[in-house]
Amino acid sequence: MKYRKKPVFVEAMEWNGKDHRNMYEFLESPEIALMHSIDSTGTNFYIDHVKVKGGLIIKTLEGEHLANIGDFIIKGVAGEFYPCKPEIFAKTYELANKE
């Protein structure tokens, strides 16, 4: 049998290793980000520059996923986050709007 992926809209942000504040707000919320320093641990991530260049580790139900610079961080349909390699992201997703 063959299956087709249902069309779904996701929010995503490319990790450039520099835009820490916006990534923190994306992974947590702007309100929570204001209460913490950029390099602190959040519910959905933590920073560890020893494990990966850029330091972003995404916490998922399957365990920790290293987010390399250039990876896209996707917010899934259930509010979960996970990194995606740019070449896979480009084959899977297209821009739905400019917001």
Side-chain angles (χ1 to χ4, degrees):
M1 298 184 122
K2 290 186 178 184
Y3 292 87
R4 181 177 66 133
K5 194 177 212 179
K6 293 179 182 179
V8 63
F9 291 91
V10 298
E11 293 179 55
M13 184 175 173
E14 185 175 5
W15 173 234
N16 62 16
K18 299 175 186 172
D19 201 1
H20 294 93
R21 175 58 62 194
N22 285 338
M23 184 58 73
Y24 197 123
E25 290 177 4
F26 177 67
L27 289 167
E28 298 297 326
S29 76
E31 298 79 22
I32 291 173
L34 285 174
M35 296 185 298
H36 299 279
S37 67
I38 296 170
D39 61 350
S40 66
T41 298
T43 304
N44 300 304
F45 79 100
Y46 69 94
I47 301 295
D48 187 336
H49 292 284
V50 175
K51 286 187 177 181
V52 63
K53 184 177 180 179
L56 185 60
I57 314 294
I58 306 295
K59 299 176 188 177
T60 73
L61 294 174
E62 294 82 28
E64 298 176 352
H65 290 263
L66 307 180
N68 292 292
I69 292 173
D71 287 355
F72 282 82
I73 310 306
I74 299 171
K75 183 177 184 180
V77 296
E80 76 283 13
F81 293 93
Y82 54 93
C84 182
K85 296 293 176 203
E87 56 276 6
I88 302 299
F89 188 85
K91 290 179 181 179
T92 309
Y93 299 96
E94 62 185 15
L95 188 60
N97 62 33
K98 294 185 180 183
E99 291 181 27

